[in-house]
């Protein structure tokens, strides 16, 4: 059996058996040396295309999943997803497309202040995570999306957000224009962002930010 | 932040509303805030949001607020703030162009463009929501392996035992059982009495040395005594007759044929010689 | 797309997403009407043959399983498997081939009384189950193997247990075996067996049977 076929078999077995998506590096570390994981993945993706189970890349890791058009059959496996309110979805979209983004920036885009619970829900569902702090007065916390978000929506990376490139080209993701509006830059790590201070994730004043009285 | 547009005013208004304990989320007929209402109204113009007639939009919005107030007791403050700001913007847009400079205020057109841009941004996010939610979603439309093996490939309860081992265990026991329970069918023997009787009758005729093989009766059929049994019983009877003095036996060498002959024959011979 | 291919896709997706093995009937009940599950399974089995993942049938239920020869790739999570004691394995073998079989019958074949714990271990591992009661004086409980037993040994049904010819082929049986040696066919249900009485499974006298003093 050729090495190529054998590498495909091994990657196939590992991904089938895995409880979660695996990166090419994860896979390579499990394979005997000298096998080309990238080619095996490409081969498998082609082989499974159009089948009942397909290979997909999410959050830069690989997984098998059932074909979307067969979702209707999965009556027993289906978990009724927690319904996100319109506000929560819009907030999630703003965070996804503008990250890292501060609470004030989210509110500026929507024209309304974040109601209590909106961000909490997204954090609790692990779609959204704290990314860091903006290097501006008050050093506000910035938010971004998690791998779980990408996995849930089946996105290989943030660059694959639907319509992101068109929006970016139209300047719609660039909140710095016009001068009167604060506009964050969605792509990559913002230059004016500090990493979170140690312990920020559970600092009391931070928790206050979500659950405190001032939550608007 | 633009002094003229002062979007923060909206939020301050909301903040005040919160402080006053008023309803936080303004959701009039499904709208979350003035911007969402404006977006919905702007869409009715069916043009690129950036080419929107802000004057027309302002009129639409004011009409909306008026209608809302007619039907409801109150509107959240930010709706009203937006209404007054739009009324102001509209009036400025309608004024003749060479207008007097009012402080740092940007031209009305710029303010209008800024509003249009804000709406376009919100619209983009609404499209983003549609784009995201129309994607196949995990555990609703697409499903990963229901029974992954990686962490349970071989759970601790897993027993190492192959089918071969099972077969082996079975056969070993059955073999042992076979040996243990092996009961050979009791062979039909040539009774010693019969052999003695027969040999006694034959003895007088055994005048010369005769092999045991030819003396023992031949095997008859499957059911009868075996050849070995005939031989053994005949030998045994023969030895008895030897003891009685009726026969004598000899074997020239170990494992060679055994010969029997009548003692009487010998006596007769001797008598004959003596006579 | 032809119905055949579509049925294969559906069965593939269902088996992939299922939390456990599924019977053909399970699958049929989840598929829209008019699809041939049997053909789809046969098609899938052929399609996956020799791949890193294979379709296997155990206890008349189907599941995907990584190819046995690739098991070594999954070794990281492997926990040291328990080995069955010789007595347990031998007892299991007798139960497998002679089921339904009573404790006394097992002891008769083994030539020794069952030591304490041997049956317990097999029952606890869920390899062995109580089957019924023999219609003889004392109505002794009869033992048989479970689906977990079949699954563990990769057997589709009891009829697939290797018989005398396979034992000979494996070199386990030779000419020294007495002429009367026969490997019973355990797949048929014995006629002199009653179903279990209600409460048999947890009746105290039954527990005594395993843990009592008299157990040799």
């Amino acid at each position: 059996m050729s090495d190529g076929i054998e590498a495909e078999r091994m990657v196939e077995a590992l991904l089938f058996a895995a409880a979660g998506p695996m990166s090419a590096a994860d896979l390579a570390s499990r394979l005997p040396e000298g096998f080309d994981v990238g080619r095996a993945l490409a081969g498998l993706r082609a082989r499974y295309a159009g089948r009942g189970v397909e290979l997909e890349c999410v959050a830069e890791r690989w997984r098998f999943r059932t074909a979307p058009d067969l979702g209707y059959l999965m009556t027993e496996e289906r978990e009724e997803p927690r319904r996100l309110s319109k506000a929560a979805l819009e907030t999630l979209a703003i965070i996804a497309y503008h990250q890292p983004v501060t609470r004030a920036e989210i509110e500026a885009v929507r024209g309304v202040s974040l109601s209590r619970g909106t961000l909490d829900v997204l954090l609790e569902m692990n779609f959204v995570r704290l990314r860091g702090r903006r290097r501006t007065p008050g050093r506000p916390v910035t938010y971004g999306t998690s791998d779980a978000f990408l996995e849930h929506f089946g996105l290989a990376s943030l660059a694959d957000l639907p319509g992101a490139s068109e929006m970016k080209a139209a300047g719609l993701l660039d909140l710095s224009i016009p001068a009167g509006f604060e506009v964050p830059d969605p792509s990559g790590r913002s230059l004016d962002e500090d990493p979170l201070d140690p312990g920020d994730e559970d600092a009391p004043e931070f928790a206050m930010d979500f659950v405190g009285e001032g939550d608007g | 932040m633009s002094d003229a547009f002062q979007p923060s005013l909206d939020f301050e208004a909301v903040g005040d509303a919160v402080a006053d304990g008023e309803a936080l989320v303004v959701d009039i007929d499904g709208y979350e805030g003035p911007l969402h209402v404006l977006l919905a109204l702007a869409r009715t113009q069916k043009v690129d949001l950036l080419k929107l007639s802000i004057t027309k939009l302002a009129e639409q919005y004011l009409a909306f607020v008026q209608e809302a107030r007619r039907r409801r007791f109150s509107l959240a403050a930010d709706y009203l703030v937006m209404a007054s700001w739009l009324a102001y913007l509209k009036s400025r847009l309608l004024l003749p162009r060479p207008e007097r400079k009012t402080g740092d205020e940007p031209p009305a057109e710029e303010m209008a463009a800024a509003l249009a841009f804000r709406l376009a941004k919100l619209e983009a996010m609404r499209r983003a929501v549609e784009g995201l939610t129309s994607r196949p979603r995990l555990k609703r439309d697409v499903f990963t392996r229901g029974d992954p093996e990686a962490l349970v490939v071989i759970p601790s309860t897993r027993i190492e035992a192959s089918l071969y081992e099972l077969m082996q265990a079975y056969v070993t026991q059955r073999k042992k059982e076979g040996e243990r329970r092996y009961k050979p069918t009791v062979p039909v023997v040539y009774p010693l009495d019969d052999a003695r009787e027969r040999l006694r009758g034959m003895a007088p005729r055994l005048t010369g040395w005769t092999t045991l093989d030819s003396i023992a009766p031949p095997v008859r059929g499957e059911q009868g005594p075996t050849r070995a049994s005939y031989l053994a019983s005949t030998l045994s009877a023969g030895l008895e007759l030897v003891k009685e003095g009726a026969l004598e036996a000899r074997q020239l060498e170990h494992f060679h044929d055994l010969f029997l002959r009548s003692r009487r024959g010998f006596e007769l011979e001797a008598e004959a010689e003596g006579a």
Side-chain angles (χ1 to χ4, degrees), chain A, chain B:
Chain A
M1 196 173 295
S2 85
D3 272 10
I5 302 249
E6 194 55 20
E8 264 190 38
R9 287 186 77 232
M10 292 190 284
V11 170
E12 188 179 27
L14 282 169
L15 288 177
F16 245 77
M22 289 176 85
S23 70
D26 290 342
L27 290 164
S29 72
R30 295 294 199 85
L31 253 51
E33 279 194 36
F35 287 101
D36 186 340
V37 170
R39 249 178 55 190
L41 285 167
L44 281 175
R45 185 174 223 173
R47 169 179 287 272
Y48 277 92
R51 302 291 312 164
V53 170
E54 295 173 340
L55 185 62
E56 87 173 344
C57 179
V58 284
E60 279 151 32
R61 291 177 300 155
W62 296 82
R63 72 176 177 201
F64 280 113
R65 57 134 176 82
T66 58
D69 65 307
L70 298 177
Y72 71 98
L73 289 174
M74 308 298 162
T75 44
E76 270 175 43
E77 290 78 17
R78 181 171 305 139
E79 286 175 20
E80 213 36 66
R82 191 161 168 179
R83 271 200 76 80
L84 284 176
S85 68
K86 218 171 117 191
L89 279 171
E90 225 169 69
T91 303
L92 180 61
I94 293 168
I95 293 174
Y97 284 76
H98 295 84
Q99 57 189 304
V101 63
T102 67
R103 185 190 185 88
E105 288 158 354
I106 298 167
E107 291 177 333
V109 173
R110 301 192 63 230
V112 255
S113 33
L114 272 175
S115 73
R116 176 181 305 188
T118 304
L119 252 179
D120 311 37
V121 163
L122 297 174
L123 283 159
E124 197 189 297
M125 290 175 74
N126 194 28
F127 279 173
V128 163
R129 63 189 171 92
L130 310 181
R131 278 189 53 152
R133 286 186 180 279
R134 180 67 44 81
R135 269 188 240 141
T136 52
R139 302 186 67 239
V141 167
T142 55
Y143 298 93
T145 52
S146 64
D147 282 352
F149 163 80
L150 295 175
E151 284 172 26
H152 182 84
F153 290 101
L155 296 163
S157 72
L158 288 177
D160 294 324
L161 283 168
S165 51
E166 296 93 310
M167 289 179 197
K168 194 174 180 186
L172 291 171
L173 301 183
D174 192 352
L175 285 172
S176 64
I177 306 169
F181 298 85
E182 289 187 300
V183 185
D185 175 2
S187 60
R189 192 175 176 84
S190 155
L191 288 175
D192 65 349
E193 187 186 32
D194 281 338
L196 280 176
D197 298 335
D200 258 351
E201 309 233 358
D202 46 18
E205 67 269 39
F206 175 71
M208 283 297 288
D209 195 26
F210 296 127
V211 300
E213 288 304 305
D215 206 1
Chain B
M1 192 164 290
S2 159
D3 288 340
F5 182 38
Q6 296 196 339
S8 63
L9 268 182
D10 301 359
F11 306 126
E12 278 167 20
V14 171
D16 291 343
V18 172
D20 295 343
E22 286 179 26
L24 184 58
V25 178
V26 183
D27 191 0
I28 302 163
D29 302 322
Y31 299 112
E32 280 190 82
L35 220 49
H36 291 81
V37 171
L38 279 172
L39 184 57
L41 294 172
R43 278 184 172 162
T44 64
Q45 293 192 20
K46 291 185 175 135
V47 291
D48 184 333
L49 285 178
L50 297 177
K51 293 174 186 149
L52 205 60
S53 160
I54 295 297
T55 320
K56 190 174 167 197
L57 182 65
E59 281 162 8
Q60 285 173 307
Y61 182 83
L62 292 172
F64 167 85
V65 167
Q66 213 164 9
E67 176 63 13
R69 291 185 86 176
R70 194 181 63 76
R71 282 165 41 194
R72 296 187 176 232
F73 290 112
S74 66
L75 265 181
D78 51 351
Y79 281 81
L80 304 179
V81 170
M82 180 62 86
S84 60
W85 185 80
L86 278 175
Y88 169 69
L89 179 61
K90 179 186 151 199
S91 67
R92 277 192 60 194
L93 286 169
L94 294 176
L95 280 174
R97 188 56 60 101
E99 59 182 18
R100 58 186 173 88
K101 269 263 182 191
T102 56
D104 316 321
E105 224 174 46
E109 286 76 16
E110 228 171 80
M111 290 165 66
L115 176 62
F117 184 75
R118 268 191 92 173
L119 291 176
K121 268 197 68 60
L122 187 60
E123 168 71 8
M125 288 303 102
R126 292 187 52 144
R127 283 207 313 273
V129 166
E130 281 164 23
L132 280 176
T133 53
S134 65
R135 288 189 68 80
R137 287 159 79 177
L138 193 60
K139 288 182 181 169
R140 193 196 66 177
D141 309 298
V142 299
F143 300 83
T144 53
R145 182 94 192 262
D147 188 17
E149 296 164 41
L151 294 171
V152 288
V153 166
I154 299 185
S156 55
T157 54
R158 174 89 177 191
I159 305 300
E160 195 169 72
S162 68
L163 201 52
Y164 180 79
E165 287 173 291
L166 188 78
M167 284 158 66
Q168 201 172 31
Y170 182 70
V171 171
T172 329
Q173 294 181 94
R174 288 304 304 275
K175 276 183 179 169
K176 266 194 276 172
E177 180 201 22
E179 283 156 18
R180 199 172 53 249
R181 287 187 159 187
Y182 181 58
K183 289 181 197 141
T185 47
V186 182
V188 183
V189 292
Y190 179 44
L192 209 52
D193 287 346
D194 293 3
R196 213 181 285 132
E197 196 87 357
R198 180 167 173 275
L199 201 55
R200 227 183 273 281
M202 280 177 76
R205 283 178 277 132
L206 295 174
T207 50
W209 290 111
T210 315
T211 61
L212 184 66
D213 275 340
S214 50
I215 294 168
V219 176
R220 280 184 226 115
E222 291 284 290
Q223 307 300 320
T226 60
R227 179 75 188 150
S229 180
Y230 281 126
L231 278 175
S233 298
T234 306
L235 172 63
S236 182
L239 292 175
E240 278 180 46
L241 293 182
V242 168
K243 200 178 167 194
E244 286 173 14
L247 289 176
E248 54 184 358
R250 80 170 177 188
Q251 188 180 31
L252 297 176
E253 238 178 282
H254 289 311
F255 305 111
H256 271 212
D257 282 345
L258 207 86
F259 294 90
L260 292 174
R261 74 169 180 185
S262 166
R263 180 118 187 161
R264 172 119 2 122
F266 175 70
E267 278 167 6
L268 287 175
E269 204 174 297
E271 274 168 27
E273 279 170 13

